[in-house]
């Protein structure tokens, strides 16, 4: 987010809305209306003085109306832009021409009441719609007592209550009397799977977030009793089931399967009454009820659709189809995130990257035509190599630091430290004016090391590094002393101690600054080709997408033809012909001048790093060596092959894919078939594989409906644990129930059995309502077998890539980097990443293609400067560093028969494990050398050090 | 510029500054396009900015 | 010496990505804690060499806090 605020090629237009969109793909004109903020972004230093002085209270919408702020405010401390704004509806100056207190008290003079709304005409090539989701209508919440009973809250409100920076500083209390809670209930499916309110779909995220909120609440207060009411537990995300089981066990969460119809208040507590699926009627009292509200279409969806000229589906979300999930109905307009359908963060992030790839396909000829690249003056090596001349700048940060710490004392103390030749205090060092001042002082005093005593290097170091670069100094020559976030803000009641601490922090920073050395800013050329491993739906989509963006792509497939699992699929989830999707992909792959396909080939060896990989691919026993810049893993998965339920013994027991195949080949299979029993979670969710296979529930229902379509009087039983028809697939589930498919839930400790007697088969299952086992005679048993990973371990070994315990490739970050591996330049998509339906595989393949195209588009890879370096003379070649490096960034090679280690700087992440474990101290870390850290330790000790 | 065969623009508009919009924007900028990120509210971040445990440590976000 | 008099001098080694970020977040939320700890930021706790810890104790630190 901070990155978005800093890029010269991103213009953030806040308080803005689209008013009109004209033109055609590649050439649109958009009119955007922007409301004024009344505070100048460039001048505002986010000190908060305006909020303090403003007399007008307004409800804090960011904190779900649970708190009060003032007309001028910022949504949250780290908001981007990091600038305050004035709520025009409440402001006295704007509405009544009086007050003006904020303008008078703002020392940065950032308040500007002369700002007017403006209209912008933007020339753009494509439009991406990502307006997110809307909230459930309050009238729906009302039947659960929301609005009438204080202690009925929504999940978003609860989220703010548990947040440390929220209105109660993380203390979970009853809103009625601010007393601690003893017992709390979560009600699921509020505003989802609810025909009455019109939201028939499943919101996909509430089950998991309720578990998270419940766990957080338990962490705050271990004695809290938490009860969650589910219909089905839909935690189908990657790793979600495991996380849920851990949480249930660790926190002792009570899970009840029931849907609560209403909430009553009895003696100030909340009464819930329910009937479980084994027929028991129960009632209990709670202190708080959290409504797990679903995601609805954005409030302005219709307006957006009209302006952007796109169609919505029957629930008011953007309309898309299975084989192109990111494309809206108007050409050149794309969609990502929850507007396309309710979804969790990883899927939103995946779609977001995927949509970037699609735009990039459309506009590839115009790439880099409108972007700017910053250029910097040549580095002044002469000044850098002189002895340290340190300048210390001590920041007031308005009153944020100066209100607690004695700035003058710190500044004067800094002047007494060794090698400090200049010190100065600044009001706001990060403001544009101050940065210019700092630059001129550095130049004027021939400073070659700089200490900024202000806020956190995490947020502000890049800004000051930029200043150094702009005047020809190496950006590594700066050190920040964090006297705000870790001093004045946390010791506001102890000004003297805080001042002493600030002095010591500065002393340590100066000690380090004396030893700072310039770090090399290197770039490496990128080999402009991608290697895609696996020729299924995901692999082909990724290869085509990279090629359509203008880069060469080598597609390697192990078998003798393209298609993978898609070949076995007959119908897509929306009933379309899978073969059409397949044929279309193969035709495009074969015809694309930039895609080269290698069949019956396997990747045997990979070396190198992002931008410069070299791989050995073996085809017909012959190795072929290729150079490429990036790797996309799309090796797919396999249908699980069961050994239970008489599968393979009785030919009337088949898998869903086998059923699909025979249905497609003719109706013969249905002759004399009256009863069909489907068994869910065969192999999945703890039976043989731990994970949920995500797609089998929808697949089963799709086939059940197909059967019903062909033979309406057929009886179908579906034995399930949780029906996970998330998102709009819930419609199919509903349809199946309407058409008479019978659903019977089973518990994992009482799985159904397939019994053969006298040539007839029966399925025995425990009926929870009858509390007895029943036998269903079946003409056909269909097993919903899960998805098992392919032989990923071989490739994982070649790539030194980590796998999940289940055997799927492990992404760098489950939520925020869902298609990247920890090693840079390697991406994953499709079933190789985890089980998922076709549309999600396609979106993910596009996302991997976007990520893979980034280094290719840049042409050069910037090598991070904080990297390790091995002193060859001191290295004894023990290999400890190589074995410890989590990024494969150290390799061993031979020099005159001796083994030596070497850092592959492009892969190094600067963690320093190698340096701390080297027995001969041969490895030094840029910016964090042994000497510098030792100097900091000595400066910490001060005079106590002997 | 010849009529009818106008060259394509290298700029893109992303509507919505939540997690999806921000990610699209960052990737597009990285891919060599100029991006206008149009957000209805006064700051970007969307709903995710309000979720506990992913925030407020902003580097856990993007 | 009673517990009340003891004013320990603590040195922290904080990982840039997590513990250091958390310490910043504590500041953002204005949490108050005793001013006894000084922080050396490292890019990862993997950077911490045993020698650093021994040196800190040798130089009179009463405690060393590694956070990552």
């Amino acid at each position: 987010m901070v990155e978005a605020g800093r890029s010269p090629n991103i213009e953030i237009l806040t308080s803005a809305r689209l008013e009109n969109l004209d033109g055609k793909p590649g050439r649109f004109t958009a009119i955007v209306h922007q409301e004024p903020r009344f505070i100048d972004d460039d001048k505002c230093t986010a000190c908060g003085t305006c909020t303090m002085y403003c007399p007008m209270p307004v409800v804090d919408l960011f904190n779900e109306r649970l708190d009060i702020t003032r007309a001028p405010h910022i949504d949250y401390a780290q908001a981007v832009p990091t600038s305050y704004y004035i709520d025009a509806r409440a402001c006295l100056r704007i509405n009544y021409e009086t007050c003006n207190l904020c303008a008078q008290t703002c020392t940065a003079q950032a308040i500007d009441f002369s700002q007017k709304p403006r209209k912008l005409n933007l020339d753009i090539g494509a439009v991406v719609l990502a307006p997110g989701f809307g909230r459930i209508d309050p009238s729906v919440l009302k039947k659960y007592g929301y609005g009438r009973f204080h202690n009925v809250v929504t999940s978003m409100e609860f989220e703010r209550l548990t947040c440390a920076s929220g209105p109660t500083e993380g203390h979970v209390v009853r809103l009625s009397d601010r007393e601690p809670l003893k017992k709390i209930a979560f009600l699921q499916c509020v505003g989802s799977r609810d025909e009455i309110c019109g939201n028939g779909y499943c919101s996909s995220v509430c089950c998991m977030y309720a578990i998270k909120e419940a766990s957080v609440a338990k962490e705050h207060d271990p004695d809290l009793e938490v009860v969650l009411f589910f219909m089905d537990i839909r935690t189908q995300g990657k790793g979600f089931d495991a996380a849920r089981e851990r949480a249930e066990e660790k926190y002792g969460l009570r899970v009840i399967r029931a849907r609560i119809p209403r909430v009553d208040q009895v003696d100030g507590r909340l009464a819930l009454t329910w009937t479980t699926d084994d027929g028991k009627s129960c009632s209990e009292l709670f202190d708080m009820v959290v409504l797990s509200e679903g995601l609805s279409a954005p409030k302005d969806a219709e307006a957006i659709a009209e302006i952007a000229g796109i169609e919505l589906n029957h629930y008011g979300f953007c309309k898309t189809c299975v084989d192109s999930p990111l494309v809206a109905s108007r050409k050149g307009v794309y969609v990502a995130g929850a507007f396309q359908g309710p979804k969790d963060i990883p899927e939103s992030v995946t779609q977001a990257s995927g949509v970037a790839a699609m735009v990039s396909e459309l506009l590839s000829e115009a790439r880099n035509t409108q972007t700017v690249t910053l250029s910097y003056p040549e580095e002044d090596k002469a000044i850098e190599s002189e002895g340290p001349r340190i300048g210390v700048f001590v920041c007031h940060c308005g009153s944020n630091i100066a209100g607690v710490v004695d700035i003058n004392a710190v500044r004067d103390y800094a002047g007494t430290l060794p090698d400090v030749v200049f010190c100065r205090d600044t009001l706001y060092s990060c403001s544009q004016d101050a940065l210019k001042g700092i630059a001129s002082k550095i130049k004027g005093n021939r400073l070659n090391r700089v200490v900024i005593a202000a806020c956190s290097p995490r947020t502000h170091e890049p800004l000051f590094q930029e200043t150094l670069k702009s005047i020809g100094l190496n950006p590594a020559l700066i050190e920040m002393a964090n006297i705000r976030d870790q001093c004045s803000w946390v010791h506001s009641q102890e000004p003297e101690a805080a001042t002493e601490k600030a002095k010591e922090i500065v002393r340590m920073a100066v000690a380090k600054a004396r030893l700072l050395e310039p770090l090399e800013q290197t770039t490496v050329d990128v080999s402009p080709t991608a290697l895609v491993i696996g020729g299924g739906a995901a692999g082909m989509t990724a290869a085509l997408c990279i090629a359509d963006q203008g880069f060469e792509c080598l597609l390697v497939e192990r078998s003798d033809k393209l298609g993978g699992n898609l070949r076995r699929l007959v119908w897509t989830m929306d009933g379309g012909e899978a073969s059409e999707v397949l044929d279309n992909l193969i035709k495009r792959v074969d015809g694309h001048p930039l895609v080269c396909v290698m069949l019956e080939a396997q990747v045997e060896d990979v070396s190198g790093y992002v931008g410069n990989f070299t791989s050995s691919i073996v085809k017909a026993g012959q190795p072929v060596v290729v150079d490429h810049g990036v790797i996309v893993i799309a090796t797919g998965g396999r249908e699980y092959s069961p050994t239970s339920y008489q599968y393979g013994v009785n030919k009337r027991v088949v898998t869903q894919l086998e059923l699909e195949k025979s249905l497609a080949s003719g109706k013969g299979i249905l002759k004399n078939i009256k009863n069909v029993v489907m068994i869910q979670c065969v192999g999945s969710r703890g039976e043989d594989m731990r994970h949920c296979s995500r797609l089998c529930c929808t697949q089963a229902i799709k086939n059940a409906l197909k059967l019903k379509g062909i033979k309406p009087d057929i009886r179908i039983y579906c034995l399930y644990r949780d029906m996970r028809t998330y998102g709009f697939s819930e419609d199919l589930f509903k349809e199946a129930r309407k058409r008479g498919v019978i659903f019977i839930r089973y518990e994992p400790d009482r799985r159904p059995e397939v019994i053969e007697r006298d040539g007839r088969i029966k399925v025995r299952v425990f009926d929870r309502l009858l509390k007895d086992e029943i036998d269903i005679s079946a003409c056909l048993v269909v097993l919903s077998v899960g998805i098992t990973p392919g032989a990923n371990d071989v490739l994982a070994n070649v790539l030194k890539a980590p796998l999940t315990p289940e055997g799927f490739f492990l992404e760098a970050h489950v939520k925020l980097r869902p298609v990247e591996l920890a090693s840079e330049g390697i991406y994953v998509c499709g079933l190789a990443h985890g089980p998922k339906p076709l549309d999600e595989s396609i979106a993910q393949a596009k996302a991997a293609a976007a990520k893979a195209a980034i280094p290719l588009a840049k042409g050069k890879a910037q090598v991070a400067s904080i990297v390790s370096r091995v002193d060859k003379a001191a290295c004894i070649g023990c290999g400890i560093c190589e074995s410890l490096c989590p990024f494969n960034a150290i390799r061993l090679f031979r020099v005159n028969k001796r083994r030596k280690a070497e850092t592959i700087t492009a892969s190094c992440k600067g963690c320093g494990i190698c340096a701390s474990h080297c027995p001969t101290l041969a490895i030094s870390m840029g910016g964090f050398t042994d000497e510098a850290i030792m100097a900091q330790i000595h400066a910490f000790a001060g005079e106590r050090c002997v | 510029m010849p009529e009818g065969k106008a060259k394509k623009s290298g700029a893109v508009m992303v509507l919505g500054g939540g997690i999806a919009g921000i990610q699209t924007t960052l990737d597009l900028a990285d891919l060599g396009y100029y991006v206008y990120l149009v957000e209805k509210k006064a700051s970007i971040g969307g709903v995710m900015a309000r979720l506990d445990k992913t925030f407020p440590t902003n580097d856990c976000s993007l | 010496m009673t517990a009340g008099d003891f004013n320990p001098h603590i040195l922290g080694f904080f990982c840039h990505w997590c513990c250091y970020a958390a310490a910043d977040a504590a500041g953002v939320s204005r949490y108050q804690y005793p001013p006894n700890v000084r922080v050396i930021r490292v890019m990862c706790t993997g950077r911490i060499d045993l020698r650093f810890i021994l040196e800190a104790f040798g130089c009179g630190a009463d405690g060393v806090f590694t956070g990552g």
Side-chain angles (χ1 to χ4, degrees):
Chain A
M1 195 156 77
V2 183
E3 251 174 87
R6 215 161 35 223
S7 166
N9 293 314
I10 296 173
E11 199 172 320
I12 300 176
L13 303 169
T14 53
S15 314
R17 59 170 197 268
L18 179 64
E19 273 198 344
N20 192 35
L21 183 68
D22 264 337
K24 55 182 192 333
R27 201 90 222 169
F28 287 109
T29 308
I31 300 174
V32 170
H33 174 94
Q34 192 179 22
E35 290 292 331
R37 297 172 73 92
F38 299 110
I39 296 182
D40 188 334
D41 294 13
D42 292 335
K43 288 188 186 155
C44 177
T45 55
C47 69
T49 311
C50 50
T51 309
M52 216 146 59
Y53 281 95
C54 175
M56 285 307 286
V58 295
V59 287
D60 185 353
L61 294 176
F62 184 79
N63 276 316
E64 290 288 310
R65 303 175 173 270
L66 297 172
D67 210 347
I68 284 173
T69 179
R70 304 280 160 164
H73 62 272
I74 190 164
D75 288 339
Y76 57 110
Q78 310 90 329
V80 174
T82 317
S83 156
Y84 280 54
Y85 66 99
I86 295 177
D87 185 337
R89 284 163 307 178
C91 175
L92 293 170
R93 168 70 174 72
I94 294 167
N95 293 297
Y96 309 106
E97 298 261 329
T98 91
C99 184
N100 214 31
L101 261 179
C102 54
Q104 282 159 11
T105 51
C106 177
T107 46
Q109 299 192 327
I111 303 208
D112 177 5
F113 286 109
S114 70
Q115 287 183 2
K116 297 267 176 301
R118 56 182 192 145
K119 287 220 188 304
L120 298 129
N121 276 298
L122 309 178
D123 287 321
I124 47 176
V127 178
V128 175
L129 303 177
F133 57 86
R135 301 289 290 274
I136 298 298
D137 197 80
S139 64
V140 179
L141 308 177
K142 232 164 113 183
K143 73 173 173 189
Y144 300 101
Y146 183 77
R148 271 188 302 144
F149 310 138
H150 271 307
N151 298 324
V152 176
V153 301
T154 67
S155 43
M156 273 306 282
E157 288 169 350
F158 194 74
E159 190 85 39
R160 295 312 300 161
L161 287 178
T162 54
C163 182
S165 60
T168 56
E169 290 173 353
H171 300 293
V172 183
V173 291
R174 280 208 301 235
L175 290 181
S176 56
D177 51 9
R178 306 257 154 183
E179 286 296 311
L181 301 169
K182 289 196 189 68
K183 194 169 169 189
I184 179 170
F186 284 81
L187 309 193
Q188 297 307 108
C189 299
V190 172
S192 340
R193 302 181 69 185
D194 182 354
E195 285 297 297
I196 300 163
C197 79
N199 294 350
Y201 56 84
C202 158
S203 292
S204 309
V205 300
C206 330
C207 285
M208 197 62 215
Y209 80 56
I211 304 258
K212 183 204 76 170
E213 289 186 356
S215 308
V216 172
K218 282 290 268 188
E219 244 163 44
H220 281 280
D221 179 8
D223 296 330
L224 187 68
E225 193 183 338
V226 180
V227 185
L228 298 113
F229 291 91
F230 291 98
M231 294 209 282
D232 295 283
I233 305 174
R234 293 187 171 170
T235 48
Q236 63 276 334
K238 186 176 178 181
F240 281 17
D241 257 346
R244 176 181 57 80
E245 279 160 23
R246 271 199 310 274
E248 283 176 11
E249 197 179 318
K250 181 173 171 195
Y251 300 110
L253 306 176
R254 226 172 102 203
V255 170
I256 294 174
R257 288 185 184 258
R259 187 167 200 171
I260 302 279
R262 52 184 288 192
V263 178
D264 295 305
Q265 189 157 294
V266 179
D267 286 344
R269 296 186 83 195
L270 299 163
L272 302 181
T273 306
W274 67 92
T275 310
T276 57
D277 63 355
D278 46 8
K280 255 192 279 174
S281 180
C282 317
S283 178
E284 281 179 40
L285 291 174
F286 295 86
D287 293 315
M288 183 182 258
V289 168
V290 181
L291 307 178
S292 293
E293 59 169 325
L295 316 184
S296 72
K299 212 166 68 187
D300 47 357
E302 275 175 32
I304 292 172
E306 202 185 317
I307 294 165
I310 56 145
E311 284 173 50
L312 300 177
N313 73 5
H314 57 293
Y315 289 125
F317 289 83
C318 185
K319 192 172 173 181
T320 58
C321 50
V322 166
D323 59 346
S324 47
L326 308 174
V327 181
S329 58
R330 179 172 178 181
K331 278 196 174 141
V333 180
Y334 303 90
V335 59
F339 185 40
Q340 190 260 344
K343 60 177 63 62
D344 212 326
I345 296 167
E347 286 77 37
S348 287
V349 172
T350 302
Q351 286 202 334
S353 292
V355 96
M358 303 211 56
V359 170
S360 181
E361 286 174 32
L362 174 72
L363 303 179
S364 67
E365 62 184 67
R367 183 196 315 282
N368 291 331
T369 54
Q370 252 134 313
T371 46
V372 282
T373 31
L374 300 171
S375 62
Y376 300 98
E378 191 91 359
E379 237 178 86
D380 190 339
K381 296 256 161 70
I383 287 191
E384 287 174 356
S385 58
E386 286 173 16
R389 293 176 54 79
I390 303 174
V392 180
F393 297 87
V394 186
C395 184
H396 290 243
C397 194
S399 60
N400 278 303
I401 300 172
V404 179
V405 169
D406 182 346
I407 297 285
N408 293 340
V410 175
R411 182 200 58 207
D412 295 343
Y413 174 74
T416 68
L417 295 169
D419 293 330
V420 173
V421 295
F422 181 86
C423 44
R424 175 65 54 94
D425 57 301
T426 56
L427 193 54
Y428 289 106
S429 358
C430 60
S431 67
Q432 289 302 319
D433 294 358
L435 287 171
K436 274 186 210 134
I438 290 172
S440 78
K441 292 289 178 269
I442 295 172
K443 274 193 113 116
N445 293 284
R446 284 184 72 77
L447 303 176
N448 58 12
R449 306 284 185 278
V450 179
V451 171
I452 308 275
C455 47
S456 174
R458 284 174 49 256
T459 51
H460 283 74
E461 197 173 56
L463 187 73
F464 296 112
Q465 285 180 329
E466 201 73 11
T467 304
L468 256 62
K469 273 163 89 175
S470 72
I471 50 171
L473 279 179
N474 189 285
L477 298 173
I478 183 195
E479 178 67 16
M480 287 191 75
N482 189 344
I483 60 168
R484 187 185 75 175
D485 305 41
Q486 298 185 11
C487 188
S488 69
W489 275 353
V490 289
H491 311 307
S492 53
Q493 308 305 318
E494 304 165 87
E496 275 164 35
T499 303
E500 275 319 296
K501 179 172 173 180
K503 285 182 186 173
E504 287 185 31
I505 294 174
V506 170
R507 183 168 76 211
M508 290 166 71
V510 168
K512 182 173 178 186
R514 296 173 70 196
L515 297 167
L516 288 176
E517 287 299 325
L519 295 177
E520 211 180 339
Q521 307 276 302
T522 41
T523 53
V524 287
D525 284 331
V526 169
S527 168
T529 307
L531 170 67
V532 178
I533 309 171
M540 286 193 285
T541 304
L544 281 170
C545 183
I546 291 169
D548 282 339
Q549 293 181 69
F551 306 103
E552 274 179 28
C553 198
L554 177 62
L555 180 59
V556 175
E557 165 60 36
R558 193 175 42 184
S559 76
D560 60 352
K561 50 181 173 291
L562 295 170
N565 287 312
L566 186 54
R567 275 192 183 278
R568 302 190 56 202
L569 199 65
V570 180
W571 297 288
T572 57
M573 297 288 187
D574 60 354
E577 300 278 332
S579 61
E580 258 176 47
V581 181
L582 176 70
D583 294 345
N584 187 25
L585 278 172
I586 293 179
K587 207 167 93 193
R588 287 202 53 218
V589 165
D590 285 341
H592 206 297
L594 291 176
V595 183
C596 170
V597 180
M598 274 175 95
L599 294 174
E600 291 175 280
Q602 247 172 307
V603 178
E604 297 272 298
D605 186 52
V606 175
S607 63
Y609 47 86
V610 58
N612 289 281
F613 287 108
T614 303
S615 298
S616 167
I617 297 160
V618 176
K619 185 177 162 70
Q622 291 296 311
V624 186
V625 174
V626 289
D627 290 331
H628 52 99
V630 290
I631 300 170
V632 177
I633 304 170
T635 46
R638 284 196 210 126
E639 182 184 26
Y640 172 76
S641 181
T643 50
S644 46
Y645 301 109
Q646 305 263 357
Y647 181 76
V649 178
N650 192 314
K651 65 175 193 299
R652 290 191 165 265
V653 181
V654 298
T655 67
Q656 290 286 358
L657 276 179
E658 286 162 358
L659 168 71
E660 216 171 302
K661 200 174 162 197
S662 28
L663 280 180
S665 62
K667 294 175 189 170
I669 186 179
L670 291 179
K671 212 183 258 175
N672 301 327
I673 284 191
K674 291 196 193 84
N675 284 355
V676 176
V677 179
M678 294 185 173
I679 303 175
Q680 300 303 109
C681 293
V682 173
S684 302
R685 295 189 63 192
E687 197 175 45
D688 192 7
M689 306 175 293
R690 195 171 168 201
H691 60 269
C692 161
S693 293
R694 196 172 170 96
L695 52 76
C696 341
C697 285
T698 308
Q699 186 186 30
I701 286 186
K702 177 190 76 177
N703 288 344
L705 287 172
K706 211 80 193 177
L707 283 171
K708 279 277 183 189
I710 297 167
K711 204 169 172 181
D713 54 349
I714 199 164
R715 289 175 76 91
I716 304 175
Y717 299 85
C718 183
L719 315 182
Y720 73 102
R721 289 184 53 191
D722 293 284
M723 281 315 284
R724 292 184 165 175
T725 45
Y726 57 94
F728 301 132
S729 296
E730 181 71 13
D731 281 353
L732 297 176
F733 182 28
K734 194 168 54 198
E735 174 75 13
R737 287 190 315 248
K738 216 190 301 171
R739 301 271 287 274
V741 178
I742 296 160
F743 291 88
I744 301 172
R745 188 169 78 82
Y746 70 85
E747 288 285 340
D749 52 355
R750 292 192 107 141
R751 285 185 179 267
E753 281 174 85
V754 177
I755 302 162
E756 188 185 343
R757 200 165 294 153
D758 309 328
R760 291 172 175 271
I761 39 178
K762 281 180 179 168
V763 179
R764 180 167 293 170
V765 64
F766 181 79
D767 188 300
R768 302 174 56 75
L769 212 52
L770 298 175
K771 294 190 182 60
D772 202 2
E773 283 181 333
I774 53 170
D775 286 345
I776 307 167
S777 62
C779 311
L780 189 66
V781 175
V782 189
L783 306 180
S784 291
V785 297
I787 289 172
T788 163
N792 288 340
D793 43 342
V794 181
L795 184 61
N797 230 343
V798 168
L799 294 169
K800 289 196 184 168
L803 297 176
T804 64
E806 293 83 10
F808 296 103
F809 281 94
L810 180 67
E811 59 273 45
H813 188 291
V814 99
K815 281 202 156 56
L816 301 166
R817 294 173 64 198
V819 299
E820 296 162 82
L821 296 197
S823 305
E824 237 175 290
I826 309 179
Y827 314 92
V828 64
C829 59
L831 300 184
H833 162 271
K836 59 180 68 65
L838 183 61
D839 55 339
E840 291 177 24
S841 269
I842 289 175
Q844 207 182 21
K846 296 270 186 195
K851 292 292 182 189
I854 288 172
L856 304 180
K858 287 194 169 152
K860 283 188 190 310
Q862 180 87 39
V863 179
S865 50
I866 299 172
V867 293
S868 66
R869 210 172 51 83
V870 184
D871 176 357
K872 300 263 152 47
C875 174
I876 52 168
C878 66
I880 292 175
C881 50
E882 189 212 21
S883 66
L884 287 175
C885 178
F887 306 101
N888 306 314
I890 292 202
R891 67 174 156 224
L892 288 171
F893 65 108
R894 281 187 186 280
V895 190
N896 303 330
K897 294 191 179 166
R898 281 169 189 275
R899 293 209 310 166
K900 295 284 174 192
E902 183 181 55
T903 307
I904 305 163
T905 45
S907 305
C908 179
K909 294 267 178 268
C911 70
I913 288 178
C914 51
S916 62
H917 285 78
C918 177
T920 59
L921 310 181
I923 301 181
S924 102
M925 279 308 304
F928 294 84
T929 58
D930 283 357
E931 295 76 19
I933 293 175
M934 284 298 187
Q936 280 175 289
I937 297 171
H938 295 149
F940 153 79
E943 272 135 39
R944 269 165 302 173
C945 194
V946 271
Chain B
M1 205 180 293
E3 272 294 306
K5 203 157 159 67
K7 266 171 62 187
K8 285 178 180 173
S9 162
V12 184
M13 178 174 73
V14 175
L15 191 69
I19 177 79
I22 294 174
Q23 186 64 54
T24 307
T25 300
L26 289 172
D27 286 339
L28 279 170
D30 269 341
L31 284 164
Y33 302 92
Y34 191 90
V35 191
Y36 300 99
L37 178 56
V38 176
E39 165 60 41
K40 185 166 64 175
K41 298 228 168 76
S43 57
I44 60 172
V47 178
M48 191 162 154
R50 307 200 288 183
L51 301 184
D52 182 29
K53 294 290 152 183
T54 2
F55 267 69
T57 46
N58 259 14
D59 59 325
C60 282
S61 64
L62 286 166
Chain C
M1 191 174 70
T2 64
D5 299 334
F6 182 47
N7 193 16
H9 211 52
I10 301 165
L11 181 62
F13 291 95
F14 286 12
C15 164
H16 173 89
W17 304 105
C18 48
C19 192
Y20 196 90
D24 283 350
V28 170
S29 308
R30 306 298 196 275
Y31 280 133
Q32 302 295 306
Y33 55 83
N36 300 48
V37 66
R38 304 289 174 269
V39 173
I40 293 179
R41 181 174 64 104
V42 287
M43 293 311 281
C44 166
T45 41
R47 176 69 190 95
I48 302 166
D49 193 319
L50 192 57
R51 291 178 301 133
F52 300 161
I53 296 171
L54 296 176
E55 189 74 11
F57 283 125
C59 287
D62 297 307
V64 173
F65 172 179
T66 67

